[in-house]
Amino acid sequence: KPLTIQEAQNILDLFISRRKKYSKQPEKCDDEKSSKEQLEKVIDFEYAKNLLGGNEAALFEMLRMLIESLPYDAEKLEEAYQQQNWEAVQAIAHKLQGAASYCGTMRLKSICSELDSYIKLGLVARIPELYQQLLNEMSAVEIFMEQQEK
């Protein structure tokens, strides 16, 4: 897939600065438009609101639950990955895919779906790449939500 310089930079920034327990402090962005554009890349609020019949309160409750589960899911994902327990990795990815679809975190949903499919097909060569993308996107979702709370 074509990868823009900005997307590559975002991935590198997340990969290089990601800490195991998501302890990175979100960077402040003075440019409101830029911040909104970045957020829309991570979360499609309109899509999620439409799925929930326009219920913003339900959306933010679901996002809160997703964010609260990410550190636990990341820990379990890492354990399963280190043990090469692809069935457990697949189960975590599948669970996250469902939550991500209702929260409008479309990149997270897409990565989970792809990882789930590759494991089902036994195509383990792409698992390390998809695993890292999944960790990066989990971190991105959490960081962007932290930014919104400020």
Side-chain angles (χ1 to χ4, degrees):
K1 296 178 181 175
L3 180 66
T4 67
I5 292 173
Q6 184 61 48
E7 289 170 325
Q9 184 62 51
N10 290 343
I11 291 168
L12 286 173
D13 289 345
L14 288 171
F15 176 74
I16 292 169
S17 63
R18 183 184 67 81
R19 293 193 182 123
K20 189 171 184 172
K21 296 291 182 184
Y22 300 103
S23 61
K24 179 182 176 193
Q25 293 297 315
E27 296 174 15
K28 294 190 178 190
C29 181
D30 294 330
D31 181 357
E32 188 176 310
K33 182 180 177 190
S34 174
S35 179
K36 184 176 181 187
E37 288 172 1
Q38 289 284 40
L39 179 62
E40 288 172 355
K41 290 180 183 178
V42 176
I43 301 171
D44 185 340
F45 285 107
E46 291 306 311
Y47 172 82
K49 279 193 328 189
N50 286 338
L51 274 180
L52 298 170
N55 188 338
E56 242 179 71
L59 169 58
F60 284 102
E61 178 61 19
M62 291 180 78
L63 279 167
R64 183 193 61 75
M65 291 187 315
L66 174 65
I67 298 304
E68 287 177 357
S69 75
L70 288 178
Y72 174 80
D73 289 337
E75 185 178 315
K76 292 300 176 192
L77 186 64
E78 187 170 347
E79 286 174 16
Y81 180 82
Q82 294 303 325
Q83 296 169 1
Q84 296 186 354
N85 182 344
W86 306 136
E87 189 174 295
V89 170
Q90 179 188 9
I92 295 165
H94 186 77
K95 173 189 160 258
L96 280 171
Q97 178 184 347
S101 65
Y102 285 103
C103 292
T105 51
M106 305 313 288
R107 289 189 321 209
L108 181 61
K109 175 187 173 189
S110 177
I111 294 165
C112 288
S113 174
E114 195 171 355
L115 182 57
D116 183 32
S117 295
Y118 273 84
I119 292 172
K120 280 180 184 173
L121 295 171
L123 303 172
V124 296
R126 288 244 8 243
I127 292 174
E129 172 192 351
L130 293 169
Y131 164 77
Q132 191 58 57
Q133 286 178 12
L134 179 54
L135 290 179
N136 291 344
E137 194 59 29
M138 291 167 73
S139 181
V141 169
E142 187 172 55
I143 289 168
F144 282 120
M145 287 307 295
E146 286 174 3
Q147 287 176 338
Q148 296 311 296
E149 293 174 0
K150 291 190 174 202

